[in-house]
Amino acid sequence: MVIVDGNGLHTATWSGRTGRRALCVFELIYFARPDSIMDGKLVHSTRQQLGAQLAREHPVEADLVIGIPDSSTAAAVGYAQESGIPYSEGLVKNRYVGRTFIEPEQRLRDLGVRQKFNPLVEVIQGKRLVVVDRSEEHTSELQSRRNPVCRLLL
């Protein structure tokens, strides 16, 4: 670690052994790869367990469970397994579109989302959907018909 303070430039080595552990929830839910091990558990399995817990806490009647690719897929599968509602892909992610949340204007973010996700119309049309997403912020946005992902699903 490099430290710059009033006494100048210093380097220090951190052993990582503080006796206190803290996991970042964003790392677990969003940033970590599904094949990562965090706190001794496979991230993919933890995400599925979170989806199952979501199904227990918020049961609904629906025809199909879909996840917002990619970070919500495992949670959507967990929700489907726990609830007994079938799971299917409902949105296809364009892997050539980068992160949309960093765009400087809302108009550009909306355009990016329209380019990033494409609905599988034959799969979702006319169905009552459970849409599992990784973010409360995104979920709140999904409740608005102005949300670009919501518009894709309507």
Side-chain angles (χ1 to χ4, degrees):
M1 164 174 17
V2 177
I3 303 167
V4 180
D5 60 18
N7 296 320
L9 179 71
H10 314 280
T11 60
T13 303
W14 177 62
S15 69
R17 295 185 184 127
T18 63
R20 181 176 166 259
R21 296 186 46 179
L23 288 175
C24 174
V25 70
F26 292 109
E27 189 71 29
L28 181 62
I29 295 171
Y30 179 60
F31 292 118
R33 288 174 27 150
D35 60 346
S36 299
I37 304 293
M38 293 186 72
D39 203 25
K41 298 176 185 166
L42 184 66
V43 168
H44 174 78
S45 299
T46 301
R47 289 175 179 167
Q48 278 191 322
Q49 291 168 2
L50 289 169
Q53 183 64 34
L54 182 64
R56 288 189 292 275
E57 292 180 15
H58 299 280
V60 296
E61 289 186 23
D63 302 314
L64 194 64
V65 178
I66 68 169
I68 304 293
D70 287 311
S71 57
S72 298
T73 302
V77 169
Y79 190 103
Q81 289 173 342
E82 182 69 24
S83 68
I85 301 169
Y87 167 82
S88 180
E89 289 185 15
L91 292 171
V92 176
K93 182 177 179 181
N94 180 340
R95 309 245 183 249
Y96 301 104
V97 175
R99 299 193 184 273
T100 54
F101 70 90
I102 60 175
E103 294 294 344
E105 298 175 24
Q106 186 62 45
R107 177 185 61 79
L108 295 173
R109 289 190 290 274
D110 290 350
L111 177 61
V113 168
R114 283 194 303 274
Q115 293 172 341
K116 189 176 207 172
F117 298 113
N118 295 296
L120 295 172
V121 177
E122 290 183 17
V123 173
I124 64 174
Q125 191 169 37
K127 300 230 173 49
R128 298 171 300 161
L129 299 175
V130 174
V131 180
V132 178
D133 194 11
R134 69 185 175 353
S135 165
E136 183 178 323
E137 176 185 339
H138 291 162
T139 303
S140 297
E141 290 175 4
L142 278 173
Q143 294 173 0
S144 166
R145 289 184 180 266
R146 296 174 309 173
N147 176 276
V149 173
C150 184
R151 286 195 306 256
L152 286 173
L153 296 172
L154 293 177

